[in-house]
Amino acid sequence: MKSKRVKIISLLLLLGFSGALYIGCNLRSSSYQEIDYVIGVSQANMREPWRLVLMNELNEEISKHSNIRLITTDATSNSEKQKKDVKKLLDYGIDLLIVSPSDVKEMTPVISEVYDQIPVIVMDKAVEGFDYTLFIGPDNKLIGRQAGEDIIKHLGKDKGAILELCGSQLSQASKDKSSGFESIISKYPNVHIKRVRVESELRDEAEDMVLSMGEQLKDIDIIFAHNDYMALGAYNAINKLGYDIKIVGIDGFNGENDGINLVKQGKIDATIACSTGGKEAIQYAVDILNKVSGVPKQVILRCHSVNQKNVTAYVENQNKPRNEYKEIIDVGYSQLGSESAWRLANTRSIKEAAKDLGINLIYEDADQSQEKQIAAIRKFIDMKVDVIVISPVVDNGWNEILQEAKDAGIPVLLSDRKVEVEDDSLYSTYIGADFIEEGRRAMRWIKENVPAEEEAVNILEIQGTLEASPTVERKQGFEEILNNNSGYEIVYSKGGDYTYAGGKEVIEEYMKTHEWDIDAIFAHNDDMALGAIKALEAYEIEPGKDVKIVSVDGTRKAFEAMIEGKLNCVVECSPLLGPQLMKAIQDLMDGKELPLRIITDEKIYTQDEAKDVLSSRKY
Ligand code: AHR
């Protein structure tokens, strides 16, 4: 049970604490308050309008919790000041820190130190590494790509000139928007981008910048601004100069001079609307403070392309009343199969969580067949279930069936594995792991523990099911680190379908045609690593000693193999997705929009810790 703590806050004391300290609105009425928790918010600056919207969201959501107070500091875009702000907040005794870093590099070590003491929610820009409790923010590269695709449609031809109004050169968000945008536009050799930077990212500076371009504007077909304030500045400028140029912005907030209204009024043609995540930050902060289990590691917010054709529908959808209360929610769930210990734990977790919450789960096992999964989804559509969940066996080939579900008005959630679709509005959210990071972690371990000396380190890779997202992405992350380190080479790579038998066969095949020359094995899951261990032993090669083995998942059997010294390292991938999945389903049924991706928290384990950790493993 949560231990109730009473804090007496003196308003005078707080006001004397720092000139740039703001106290949540629910504290103003009285000098003395009984509270359970204090959340510190270290804001990079209060100058960008986007951050003011974020602050409003944080304050609005915190006002629903009379036992929690918010203290906010403004770093005025100065990292040295932000470091001091964070220290002051800690000295004050905050229970949780929400931080939006002004400079990721500068703030990473500070945030990491705070994370040793209290939970930290990082907003907007991810710091380096994973020393935080939760990251909430948009995927700015994706926003850039979305804008690029929209702009190509707005151009209506495969040639033209774009004026890109970028934000501050210090802003990682702006850099990411540009690189995502470029990745789309570069596919069209006759479409050119002219980039200018508006350091302040504000409307009037953007207006001055565009005004100063004068005659050059006559060659521009479309303006892409990194926020709607700059988009409005651009509109004011071209209006004064008498040019007719299309404009696309980013943010899509709802205020009078914000993106949605600008689209409605025809001042800009489109905006990429994305929430600030303020509301979600407080909701997760409350869960963290109350020690609710299953808080994810990353929440990536969903963005929408809003243009003059769909703006009315978008607004209606945002304001739609909560769904009718349904006592029992019917969920059709297509699980891909039962190939591994991980999968069995995953199925168990989902079934148990549904049962705990009284959700009616209609379960279908596809036995590794995409055809069976598609048939199951069609059956769920015919049954008119409330929600469909799929763990897709492979990435591709889902456009048509997901469109059928969308046309039937049934939301689809992706659990564990991803899909490659043309339109990401075909699914509501993805809940699962960061497979790329898992691959990186595996290779980092090899790099640190199997040093490359005179001869190259030979690596044998046992991939999972080919064309499945964990396989593709683990390989991608692994190779990313490998390619940055000379002296390491993948000399053999085969798929083992995530099964014990598959892992064993890969080694047996290798032995038939090669002299043993492998230094390290990267198995994409534990079952395949265990199968490989069995095969190696038959050839009298000592697993864990003659060859180092790293695998992914973190099953009990893998921990036992580490204790026996046969497996060297395990990169965790949690199958316990049931509680988060069911929470997302309930949120969806309550009319909430789900984030684009909800990423689980995972660790890495080695032989040293295996014994201590084994008893607490849940799968
Ligand atoms: O999709 C997750 C992967 O699928 C797990 O790593 C593997 O064990 C499973 O079968």
Side-chain angles (χ1 to χ4, degrees):
M1 209 181 76
K2 181 183 75 187
S3 78
K4 182 158 168 86
R5 187 159 54 87
V6 178
K7 284 196 176 186
I8 309 295
I9 296 181
S10 157
L11 191 57
L12 278 175
L13 179 76
L14 276 175
L15 286 176
F17 176 71
S18 159
L21 189 79
Y22 304 84
I23 301 156
C25 52
N26 52 351
L27 190 63
R28 292 199 188 104
S29 53
S30 130
S31 300
Y32 293 97
Q33 299 273 332
E34 266 196 10
I35 54 171
D36 289 329
Y37 300 117
V38 179
I39 297 177
V41 180
S42 167
Q43 189 49 275
N45 68 66
M46 300 279 202
R47 172 186 53 81
E48 293 163 52
W50 181 89
R51 293 188 190 278
L52 301 179
V53 177
L54 167 61
M55 288 316 303
N56 283 344
E57 272 192 33
L58 291 170
N59 282 320
E60 203 179 307
E61 196 60 28
I62 206 71
S63 67
K64 297 176 188 162
H65 302 273
S66 58
N67 64 333
I68 308 181
R69 295 293 177 270
L70 212 61
I71 309 175
T72 305
T73 55
D74 171 4
T76 61
S77 298
N78 176 337
S79 294
E80 289 313 309
K81 169 142 181 12
Q82 188 158 34
K83 288 177 195 168
K84 286 185 191 144
D85 288 348
V86 168
K87 187 171 178 319
K88 278 183 191 164
L89 289 169
L90 270 185
D91 288 348
Y92 174 65
I94 54 166
D95 301 284
L96 181 145
L97 174 70
I98 297 179
V99 56
S100 181
S102 56
D103 180 311
V104 164
K105 270 213 159 47
E106 289 282 323
M107 290 307 292
T108 294
V110 179
I111 290 172
S112 165
E113 268 173 44
V114 178
Y115 178 58
D116 280 342
Q117 303 166 50
I118 54 168
V120 183
I121 298 182
V122 178
M123 295 204 65
D124 148 46
K125 298 171 200 164
V127 290
E128 289 162 3
F130 289 85
D131 279 354
Y132 54 79
T133 313
L134 167 68
F135 167 75
I136 302 180
D139 179 338
N140 283 308
K141 285 195 182 151
L142 184 65
I143 294 180
R145 289 208 294 276
Q146 224 165 317
E149 274 155 13
D150 281 8
I151 280 179
I152 292 296
K153 281 188 208 141
H154 280 286
L155 269 178
K157 52 187 180 188
D158 59 5
K159 62 175 185 196
I162 303 163
L163 171 65
E164 183 179 353
L165 294 182
C166 303
S168 160
Q169 59 176 334
L170 294 178
S171 158
Q172 187 59 38
S174 181
K175 283 183 203 152
D176 288 347
K177 286 171 192 170
S178 265
S179 87
F181 185 63
E182 167 106 47
S183 71
I184 299 297
I185 302 301
S186 59
K187 294 181 194 158
Y188 302 85
N190 295 322
V191 178
H192 302 287
I193 307 174
K194 178 175 173 53
R195 281 203 177 96
V196 292
R197 199 168 286 293
V198 181
E199 273 305 323
S200 68
E201 306 190 355
L202 294 176
R203 183 195 60 195
D204 294 349
E205 281 73 4
E207 180 177 339
D208 292 345
M209 171 70 77
V210 177
L211 279 173
S212 73
M213 291 181 67
E215 285 273 286
Q216 294 175 53
L217 291 168
K218 72 177 188 326
D219 299 322
I220 300 292
D221 298 289
I222 196 155
I223 296 175
F224 165 44
H226 284 197
N227 70 30
D228 291 333
Y229 309 102
M230 295 195 281
L232 177 57
Y235 165 80
N236 292 339
I238 60 169
N239 207 26
K240 282 184 188 159
L241 296 172
Y243 285 106
D244 183 16
I245 302 175
K246 290 188 173 169
I247 304 173
V248 173
I250 293 178
D251 283 346
F253 297 138
N254 287 313
E256 203 187 320
N257 278 326
D258 286 330
I260 295 300
N261 257 337
L262 298 179
V263 174
K264 276 191 192 158
Q265 294 161 6
K267 290 185 175 170
I268 66 174
D269 296 81
T271 180
I272 311 292
C274 194
S275 97
T276 64
K279 191 171 158 190
E280 290 83 352
I282 295 297
Q283 289 170 351
Y284 280 115
V286 171
D287 283 354
I288 294 167
L289 290 169
N290 288 322
K291 308 225 168 357
V292 171
S293 63
V295 171
K297 190 73 184 173
Q298 294 182 354
V299 170
I300 309 299
L301 302 163
R302 184 176 272 283
C303 301
H304 300 268
S305 299
V306 182
N307 52 44
Q308 280 159 19
K309 283 194 198 131
N310 69 6
V311 64
T312 314
Y314 174 78
V315 174
E316 273 171 17
N317 193 39
Q318 270 194 319
N319 300 328
K320 79 168 183 256
R322 282 165 58 104
N323 290 352
E324 226 174 83
Y325 174 73
K326 266 203 95 191
E327 199 163 344
I328 297 194
I329 305 170
D330 295 319
V331 176
Y333 174 41
S334 169
Q335 173 63 292
L336 63 93
S338 47
E339 73 286 0
S340 61
W342 188 100
R343 186 68 49 203
L344 300 179
N346 179 241
T347 302
R348 221 171 25 245
S349 164
I350 291 172
K351 284 185 175 171
E352 279 172 14
K355 195 163 165 228
D356 287 351
L357 294 174
I359 288 175
N360 178 31
L361 192 78
I362 305 145
Y363 176 81
E364 291 278 338
D365 181 334
D367 199 16
Q368 309 293 318
S369 150
Q370 185 177 31
E371 265 176 31
K372 281 193 189 164
Q373 289 207 281
I374 291 175
I377 298 169
R378 283 219 173 93
K379 180 177 128 186
F380 298 147
I381 296 174
D382 289 344
M383 289 169 76
K384 298 192 172 40
V385 296
D386 299 301
V387 177
I388 293 174
V389 178
I390 51 173
S391 300
V393 62
V394 287
D395 287 7
N396 285 294
W398 299 101
N399 279 308
E400 205 180 308
I401 188 70
L402 294 192
Q403 188 63 51
E404 284 176 37
K406 186 172 178 182
D407 294 344
I410 304 178
V412 173
L413 274 69
L414 303 177
S415 168
D416 162 38
R417 292 191 184 175
K418 297 181 187 135
V419 293
E420 283 289 331
V421 281
E422 283 150 20
D423 168 8
D424 68 21
S425 76
L426 290 176
Y427 62 88
S428 301
T429 192
Y430 160 76
I431 300 180
D434 181 344
F435 298 130
I436 299 183
E437 181 58 25
E438 289 170 355
R440 287 189 195 118
R441 288 178 178 179
M443 182 54 211
R444 278 193 206 113
W445 186 87
I446 292 182
K447 189 191 85 184
E448 277 153 28
N449 294 278
V450 193
E453 284 157 2
E454 271 137 50
E455 286 190 33
V457 171
N458 286 348
I459 300 172
L460 183 148
E461 180 187 29
I462 310 179
Q463 298 186 48
T465 304
L466 302 182
E467 292 174 39
S469 55
T471 310
V472 175
E473 295 187 351
R474 282 173 189 160
K475 187 168 181 54
Q476 183 188 332
F478 190 84
E479 288 180 354
E480 180 191 308
I481 305 295
L482 182 133
N483 292 334
N484 287 330
N485 288 282
S486 56
Y488 294 88
E489 209 185 319
I490 299 177
V491 291
Y492 191 78
S493 180
K494 276 270 150 64
D497 259 333
Y498 289 118
T499 63
Y500 178 91
K504 193 162 159 274
E505 267 164 41
V506 172
I507 298 296
E508 287 164 353
E509 273 304 307
Y510 187 78
M511 297 307 282
K512 277 186 206 155
T513 45
H514 299 76
E515 284 283 306
W516 184 251
D517 58 351
I518 300 298
D519 304 297
I521 294 178
F522 169 41
H524 284 214
N525 85 346
D526 291 343
D527 291 61
M528 296 189 299
L530 297 172
I533 288 172
K534 182 83 184 159
L536 290 168
E537 284 176 333
Y539 289 98
E540 291 180 0
I541 297 165
E542 230 186 312
K545 297 201 174 62
D546 296 340
V547 55
K548 304 282 188 227
I549 308 177
V550 50
S551 72
V552 186
D553 276 358
T555 59
R556 289 181 67 87
K557 284 209 165 125
F559 274 78
E560 282 159 10
M562 279 203 287
I563 293 167
E564 288 170 36
K566 296 180 178 180
L567 180 64
N568 301 84
C569 169
V570 157
V571 177
E572 188 180 38
C573 173
S574 174
L576 308 177
L577 304 178
Q580 282 175 36
L581 181 61
M582 295 307 144
K583 181 176 183 305
I585 290 172
Q586 286 183 323
D587 284 351
L588 193 69
M589 294 304 289
D590 276 352
K592 290 188 195 152
E593 180 178 80
L594 299 180
L596 183 64
R597 298 196 291 273
I598 301 172
I599 306 298
T600 43
D601 188 10
E602 291 162 351
K603 300 188 175 49
I604 172 161
Y605 295 98
T606 54
Q607 289 179 348
D608 308 338
E609 319 138 274
K611 222 180 194 150
D612 294 339
V613 178
L614 179 67
S615 61
S616 62
R617 295 307 294 168
K618 297 207 170 66
Y619 58 98

